[in-house]
Structures are given as C-alpha cells and as structure tokens.
Amino acid sequence: MVEAKLMFTVSVTADKPVLVGQDNVNGRRQLINCPKGTVEGVDPDGKAFTGVTLPCTVDSQVIRPNGVAELSARYGIRLDDGRSFYIENNGIRTVPPEYTQVVLNGGFVDPSLYYFVTTPKIEAYDDSLRWMERNVFLCKAERTPDTVVIHYYMVEK
C-alpha cells in the first residue's frame, strides 16, 4: 500500500479557454490563462507556508475525440516570505462516455463525475524547499468554469 500526505494546495482562477483548433483526428486543443492564484501548505516539519502564483501561468490542453483530456500546466510560485518554486504539471482528466460531447464542445462537467490526476515536477529556488525536488508528488484536481484547485500529495517512504 502506498501512502501519500497532503502537503499543499494551489488554487487558480482560469480564464475562458482559447481554442487553437479542433478536428476529428486530434480533438480540441485549447490554452487557458490562469492569471492569479494562491498556494497554502506545510513543509515536512509541519511549518505552514502561503503564497501566490505568478502571472503567465498557463494550462495547455488537448481533449481527444474520446473525451480524455491531456493536460500540461506551468506555474511559478512566490511564497509570502520571498522563496519561490516552479511546477511543471502533466496529467489527464477523463469523463464518463455520456459527457464526451460536452467537453468536446467546450463545456464543463461536475468534478464529482470525472478522474483528474496529475504528476508534477518541481524546481525549488531555495534550499529550504529542496524537499519538493527530492520527493514524488501526485495531484488530485478539480476544474470548474472559473477555477482549478490542485491538491499536492507527497508519496511517503
């Protein structure tokens, strides 16, 4: 049994998706600007931290013809105390078959109905944050029309 501990949560506002293109071969490619957000969490010693996402956070998505969304997001984080880190977060979101056309048409599905999991890679720019680089995280996320909330779970040894 693998155990994971919730370490931090990133919550961002999400602008309306910008459609790059759509066809029956590749699906629907869209880019989503996430202009502002917050982060709240704790380090392995239990010390709390808070901060904000930096401007230019973007989520690049392709929703395949079968409704599976392949996601790739980039976040810069600046903590309130000035420390910073960068997240490259890739994953998938799947919907039940009856909602495939909804997402292919740019619509949204209730978060309780889909699977949305990501695997981040983190770069830390302060020695006190190196634990983020030395551990594996899995994320569980929720998407609504105007927000994305991502919970970062550190896989425990």
mmCIF file of all heavy atoms in Angstrom, residues 14-46:
data_model
loop_
_atom_site.group_PDB
_atom_site.id
_atom_site.type_symbol
_atom_site.label_atom_id
_atom_site.label_comp_id
_atom_site.label_asym_id
_atom_site.label_seq_id
_atom_site.Cartn_x
_atom_site.Cartn_y
_atom_site.Cartn_z
ATOM 1 N N ALA A 14 -9.221 30.624 -13.676
ATOM 2 C CA ALA A 14 -8.995 30.168 -15.043
ATOM 3 C C ALA A 14 -9.849 31.012 -15.989
ATOM 4 O O ALA A 14 -11.077 31.070 -15.843
ATOM 5 C CB ALA A 14 -9.347 28.690 -15.177
ATOM 6 N N ASP A 15 -9.170 31.670 -16.941
ATOM 7 C CA ASP A 15 -9.897 32.424 -17.952
ATOM 8 C C ASP A 15 -10.609 31.462 -18.895
ATOM 9 O O ASP A 15 -10.367 30.250 -18.879
ATOM 10 C CB ASP A 15 -8.938 33.299 -18.765
ATOM 11 C CG ASP A 15 -8.412 34.496 -17.976
ATOM 12 O OD1 ASP A 15 -8.959 34.806 -16.895
ATOM 13 O OD2 ASP A 15 -7.443 35.117 -18.456
ATOM 14 N N LYS A 16 -11.447 32.015 -19.743
ATOM 15 C CA LYS A 16 -12.130 31.222 -20.762
ATOM 16 C C LYS A 16 -11.075 30.598 -21.680
ATOM 17 O O LYS A 16 -10.123 31.265 -22.081
ATOM 18 C CB LYS A 16 -13.064 32.119 -21.566
ATOM 19 C CG LYS A 16 -13.870 31.384 -22.590
ATOM 20 C CD LYS A 16 -14.816 32.321 -23.320
ATOM 21 C CE LYS A 16 -15.546 31.532 -24.405
ATOM 22 N NZ LYS A 16 -16.411 32.410 -25.190
ATOM 23 N N PRO A 17 -11.202 29.311 -22.004
ATOM 24 C CA PRO A 17 -10.229 28.678 -22.890
ATOM 25 C C PRO A 17 -10.156 29.360 -24.258
ATOM 26 O O PRO A 17 -11.171 29.804 -24.798
ATOM 27 C CB PRO A 17 -10.759 27.246 -23.041
ATOM 28 C CG PRO A 17 -11.608 27.026 -21.838
ATOM 29 C CD PRO A 17 -12.215 28.357 -21.532
ATOM 30 N N VAL A 18 -8.937 29.450 -24.793
ATOM 31 C CA VAL A 18 -8.713 29.968 -26.137
ATOM 32 C C VAL A 18 -8.548 28.749 -27.043
ATOM 33 O O VAL A 18 -7.619 27.954 -26.859
ATOM 34 C CB VAL A 18 -7.462 30.863 -26.187
ATOM 35 C CG1 VAL A 18 -7.162 31.287 -27.614
ATOM 36 C CG2 VAL A 18 -7.625 32.068 -25.265
ATOM 37 N N LEU A 19 -9.433 28.605 -27.994
ATOM 38 C CA LEU A 19 -9.400 27.467 -28.905
ATOM 39 C C LEU A 19 -8.292 27.663 -29.930
ATOM 40 O O LEU A 19 -8.255 28.658 -30.641
ATOM 41 C CB LEU A 19 -10.748 27.309 -29.611
ATOM 42 C CG LEU A 19 -10.869 26.154 -30.601
ATOM 43 C CD1 LEU A 19 -10.709 24.813 -29.888
ATOM 44 C CD2 LEU A 19 -12.198 26.227 -31.332
ATOM 45 N N VAL A 20 -7.367 26.705 -29.995
ATOM 46 C CA VAL A 20 -6.299 26.714 -31.003
ATOM 47 C C VAL A 20 -6.810 26.050 -32.271
ATOM 48 O O VAL A 20 -6.634 26.552 -33.375
ATOM 49 C CB VAL A 20 -5.036 25.996 -30.480
ATOM 50 C CG1 VAL A 20 -3.977 25.897 -31.563
ATOM 51 C CG2 VAL A 20 -4.487 26.714 -29.252
ATOM 52 N N GLY A 21 -7.466 24.901 -32.112
ATOM 53 C CA GLY A 21 -8.017 24.179 -33.240
ATOM 54 C C GLY A 21 -8.734 22.935 -32.772
ATOM 55 O O GLY A 21 -8.548 22.487 -31.644
ATOM 56 N N GLN A 22 -9.560 22.390 -33.676
ATOM 57 C CA GLN A 22 -10.304 21.192 -33.327
ATOM 58 C C GLN A 22 -10.620 20.418 -34.599
ATOM 59 O O GLN A 22 -11.020 20.995 -35.607
ATOM 60 C CB GLN A 22 -11.602 21.555 -32.600
ATOM 61 C CG GLN A 22 -12.373 20.355 -32.108
ATOM 62 C CD GLN A 22 -13.484 20.733 -31.143
ATOM 63 O OE1 GLN A 22 -13.638 21.881 -30.759
ATOM 64 N NE2 GLN A 22 -14.264 19.756 -30.729
ATOM 65 N N ASP A 23 -10.405 19.096 -34.518
ATOM 66 C CA ASP A 23 -10.787 18.207 -35.611
ATOM 67 C C ASP A 23 -11.100 16.828 -35.050
ATOM 68 O O ASP A 23 -11.032 16.614 -33.843
ATOM 69 C CB ASP A 23 -9.707 18.158 -36.704
ATOM 70 C CG ASP A 23 -8.380 17.575 -36.233
ATOM 71 O OD1 ASP A 23 -8.338 16.839 -35.221
ATOM 72 O OD2 ASP A 23 -7.359 17.842 -36.899
ATOM 73 N N ASN A 24 -11.455 15.918 -35.938
ATOM 74 C CA ASN A 24 -11.818 14.563 -35.513
ATOM 75 C C ASN A 24 -10.618 13.646 -35.320
ATOM 76 O O ASN A 24 -10.770 12.512 -34.888
ATOM 77 C CB ASN A 24 -12.786 13.931 -36.514
ATOM 78 C CG ASN A 24 -14.128 14.615 -36.506
ATOM 79 O OD1 ASN A 24 -14.574 15.106 -35.473
ATOM 80 N ND2 ASN A 24 -14.779 14.674 -37.653
ATOM 81 N N VAL A 25 -9.417 14.129 -35.662
ATOM 82 C CA VAL A 25 -8.208 13.325 -35.512
ATOM 83 C C VAL A 25 -7.527 13.617 -34.178
ATOM 84 O O VAL A 25 -7.270 12.722 -33.385
ATOM 85 C CB VAL A 25 -7.224 13.580 -36.683
ATOM 86 C CG1 VAL A 25 -5.931 12.819 -36.470
ATOM 87 C CG2 VAL A 25 -7.867 13.202 -38.005
ATOM 88 N N ASN A 26 -7.237 14.903 -33.925
ATOM 89 C CA ASN A 26 -6.524 15.294 -32.709
ATOM 90 C C ASN A 26 -7.444 15.654 -31.549
ATOM 91 O O ASN A 26 -7.047 15.557 -30.397
ATOM 92 C CB ASN A 26 -5.605 16.477 -32.997
ATOM 93 C CG ASN A 26 -4.470 16.093 -33.901
ATOM 94 O OD1 ASN A 26 -3.733 15.167 -33.604
ATOM 95 N ND2 ASN A 26 -4.326 16.773 -35.022
ATOM 96 N N GLY A 27 -8.629 16.128 -31.847
ATOM 97 C CA GLY A 27 -9.528 16.583 -30.802
ATOM 98 C C GLY A 27 -9.522 18.086 -30.693
ATOM 99 O O GLY A 27 -9.329 18.791 -31.685
ATOM 100 N N ARG A 28 -9.701 18.587 -29.482
ATOM 101 C CA ARG A 28 -9.830 20.026 -29.227
ATOM 102 C C ARG A 28 -8.588 20.520 -28.481
ATOM 103 O O ARG A 28 -8.375 20.162 -27.320
ATOM 104 C CB ARG A 28 -11.085 20.268 -28.394
ATOM 105 C CG ARG A 28 -11.316 21.695 -27.989
ATOM 106 C CD ARG A 28 -12.508 21.803 -27.030
ATOM 107 N NE ARG A 28 -12.745 23.176 -26.644
ATOM 108 C CZ ARG A 28 -13.522 24.020 -27.316
ATOM 109 N NH1 ARG A 28 -14.168 23.614 -28.392
ATOM 110 N NH2 ARG A 28 -13.677 25.258 -26.900
ATOM 111 N N ARG A 29 -7.753 21.350 -29.121
ATOM 112 C CA ARG A 29 -6.567 21.945 -28.476
ATOM 113 C C ARG A 29 -6.959 23.327 -27.983
ATOM 114 O O ARG A 29 -7.475 24.151 -28.733
ATOM 115 C CB ARG A 29 -5.413 22.049 -29.463
ATOM 116 C CG ARG A 29 -4.228 22.875 -28.968
ATOM 117 C CD ARG A 29 -3.516 22.286 -27.779
ATOM 118 N NE ARG A 29 -2.772 21.091 -28.151
ATOM 119 C CZ ARG A 29 -2.076 20.370 -27.284
ATOM 120 N NH1 ARG A 29 -2.026 20.720 -26.002
ATOM 121 N NH2 ARG A 29 -1.438 19.288 -27.681
ATOM 122 N N GLN A 30 -6.702 23.564 -26.681
ATOM 123 C CA GLN A 30 -7.012 24.869 -26.108
ATOM 124 C C GLN A 30 -5.956 25.276 -25.102
ATOM 125 O O GLN A 30 -5.271 24.438 -24.523
ATOM 126 C CB GLN A 30 -8.406 24.861 -25.474
ATOM 127 C CG GLN A 30 -8.618 23.826 -24.394
ATOM 128 C CD GLN A 30 -10.079 23.714 -23.987
ATOM 129 O OE1 GLN A 30 -10.994 24.080 -24.717
ATOM 130 N NE2 GLN A 30 -10.294 23.205 -22.786
ATOM 131 N N LEU A 31 -5.823 26.591 -24.937
ATOM 132 C CA LEU A 31 -4.909 27.182 -23.967
ATOM 133 C C LEU A 31 -5.736 27.975 -22.968
ATOM 134 O O LEU A 31 -6.681 28.676 -23.362
ATOM 135 C CB LEU A 31 -3.902 28.101 -24.652
ATOM 136 C CG LEU A 31 -3.003 27.430 -25.684
ATOM 137 C CD1 LEU A 31 -2.187 28.485 -26.428
ATOM 138 C CD2 LEU A 31 -2.104 26.413 -25.026
ATOM 139 N N ILE A 32 -5.363 27.867 -21.702
ATOM 140 C CA ILE A 32 -6.114 28.558 -20.661
ATOM 141 C C ILE A 32 -5.148 29.381 -19.817
ATOM 142 O O ILE A 32 -4.233 28.839 -19.189
ATOM 143 C CB ILE A 32 -6.878 27.557 -19.770
ATOM 144 C CG1 ILE A 32 -7.823 26.715 -20.631
ATOM 145 C CG2 ILE A 32 -7.635 28.296 -18.672
ATOM 146 C CD1 ILE A 32 -8.434 25.545 -19.913
ATOM 147 N N ASN A 33 -5.351 30.671 -19.824
ATOM 148 C CA ASN A 33 -4.576 31.569 -18.978
ATOM 149 C C ASN A 33 -5.122 31.491 -17.553
ATOM 150 O O ASN A 33 -6.333 31.489 -17.347
ATOM 151 C CB ASN A 33 -4.687 33.005 -19.508
ATOM 152 C CG ASN A 33 -3.923 33.989 -18.659
ATOM 153 O OD1 ASN A 33 -2.802 33.737 -18.264
ATOM 154 N ND2 ASN A 33 -4.533 35.127 -18.382
ATOM 155 N N CYS A 34 -4.222 31.391 -16.598
ATOM 156 C CA CYS A 34 -4.596 31.369 -15.177
ATOM 157 C C CYS A 34 -3.910 32.567 -14.524
ATOM 158 O O CYS A 34 -2.787 32.448 -14.016
ATOM 159 C CB CYS A 34 -4.167 30.054 -14.533
ATOM 160 S SG CYS A 34 -4.910 28.595 -15.303
ATOM 161 N N PRO A 35 -4.551 33.745 -14.551
ATOM 162 C CA PRO A 35 -3.866 34.991 -14.185
ATOM 163 C C PRO A 35 -3.514 35.177 -12.718
ATOM 164 O O PRO A 35 -2.621 35.951 -12.401
ATOM 165 C CB PRO A 35 -4.837 36.071 -14.641
ATOM 166 C CG PRO A 35 -6.179 35.415 -14.587
ATOM 167 C CD PRO A 35 -5.934 33.975 -14.956
ATOM 168 N N LYS A 36 -4.212 34.499 -11.832
ATOM 169 C CA LYS A 36 -3.880 34.669 -10.411
ATOM 170 C C LYS A 36 -4.277 33.427 -9.639
ATOM 171 O O LYS A 36 -5.139 32.662 -10.047
ATOM 172 C CB LYS A 36 -4.555 35.911 -9.831
ATOM 173 C CG LYS A 36 -6.058 35.867 -9.866
ATOM 174 C CD LYS A 36 -6.653 37.151 -9.332
ATOM 175 C CE LYS A 36 -8.173 37.087 -9.462
ATOM 176 N NZ LYS A 36 -8.792 38.276 -8.894
ATOM 177 N N GLY A 37 -3.589 33.248 -8.521
ATOM 178 C CA GLY A 37 -3.893 32.097 -7.693
ATOM 179 C C GLY A 37 -3.175 32.167 -6.362
ATOM 180 O O GLY A 37 -2.357 33.061 -6.118
ATOM 181 N N THR A 38 -3.477 31.194 -5.535
ATOM 182 C CA THR A 38 -2.883 31.127 -4.200
ATOM 183 C C THR A 38 -2.345 29.731 -3.948
ATOM 184 O O THR A 38 -2.743 28.768 -4.594
ATOM 185 C CB THR A 38 -3.925 31.454 -3.113
ATOM 186 O OG1 THR A 38 -4.996 30.500 -3.194
ATOM 187 C CG2 THR A 38 -4.460 32.870 -3.265
ATOM 188 N N VAL A 39 -1.425 29.651 -2.990
ATOM 189 C CA VAL A 39 -0.905 28.368 -2.531
ATOM 190 C C VAL A 39 -0.909 28.383 -1.002
ATOM 191 O O VAL A 39 -0.605 29.410 -0.391
ATOM 192 C CB VAL A 39 0.508 28.073 -3.089
ATOM 193 C CG1 VAL A 39 1.511 29.118 -2.665
ATOM 194 C CG2 VAL A 39 0.987 26.688 -2.685
ATOM 195 N N GLU A 40 -1.307 27.258 -0.424
ATOM 196 C CA GLU A 40 -1.282 27.090 1.029
ATOM 197 C C GLU A 40 -0.809 25.681 1.318
ATOM 198 O O GLU A 40 -1.252 24.733 0.663
ATOM 199 C CB GLU A 40 -2.681 27.271 1.631
ATOM 200 C CG GLU A 40 -3.236 28.660 1.508
ATOM 201 C CD GLU A 40 -4.593 28.797 2.181
ATOM 202 O OE1 GLU A 40 -4.984 27.893 2.958
ATOM 203 O OE2 GLU A 40 -5.262 29.800 1.924
ATOM 204 N N GLY A 41 0.095 25.556 2.291
ATOM 205 C CA GLY A 41 0.561 24.221 2.625
ATOM 206 C C GLY A 41 1.437 24.176 3.840
ATOM 207 O O GLY A 41 1.548 25.154 4.590
ATOM 208 N N VAL A 42 2.080 23.016 4.012
ATOM 209 C CA VAL A 42 3.019 22.803 5.104
ATOM 210 C C VAL A 42 4.229 22.053 4.565
ATOM 211 O O VAL A 42 4.121 21.284 3.608
ATOM 212 C CB VAL A 42 2.399 21.990 6.271
ATOM 213 C CG1 VAL A 42 1.266 22.768 6.927
ATOM 214 C CG2 VAL A 42 1.929 20.630 5.815
ATOM 215 N N ASP A 43 5.381 22.281 5.193
ATOM 216 C CA ASP A 43 6.574 21.523 4.816
ATOM 217 C C ASP A 43 6.605 20.224 5.627
ATOM 218 O O ASP A 43 5.732 20.004 6.480
ATOM 219 C CB ASP A 43 7.837 22.371 4.978
ATOM 220 C CG ASP A 43 8.182 22.724 6.417
ATOM 221 O OD1 ASP A 43 7.667 22.066 7.361
ATOM 222 O OD2 ASP A 43 8.983 23.652 6.614
ATOM 223 N N PRO A 44 7.566 19.353 5.381
ATOM 224 C CA PRO A 44 7.598 18.076 6.110
ATOM 225 C C PRO A 44 7.713 18.213 7.632
ATOM 226 O O PRO A 44 7.346 17.299 8.361
ATOM 227 C CB PRO A 44 8.830 17.371 5.528
ATOM 228 C CG PRO A 44 8.952 17.925 4.153
ATOM 229 C CD PRO A 44 8.551 19.376 4.294
ATOM 230 N N ASP A 45 8.197 19.370 8.104
ATOM 231 C CA ASP A 45 8.279 19.601 9.544
ATOM 232 C C ASP A 45 6.997 20.204 10.117
ATOM 233 O O ASP A 45 6.933 20.509 11.308
ATOM 234 C CB ASP A 45 9.461 20.516 9.860
ATOM 235 C CG ASP A 45 10.790 19.874 9.527
ATOM 236 O OD1 ASP A 45 10.917 18.636 9.697
ATOM 237 O OD2 ASP A 45 11.705 20.600 9.070
ATOM 238 N N GLY A 46 6.000 20.418 9.257
ATOM 239 C CA GLY A 46 4.733 20.965 9.713
ATOM 240 C C GLY A 46 4.656 22.474 9.707
ATOM 241 O O GLY A 46 3.652 23.044 10.156
#
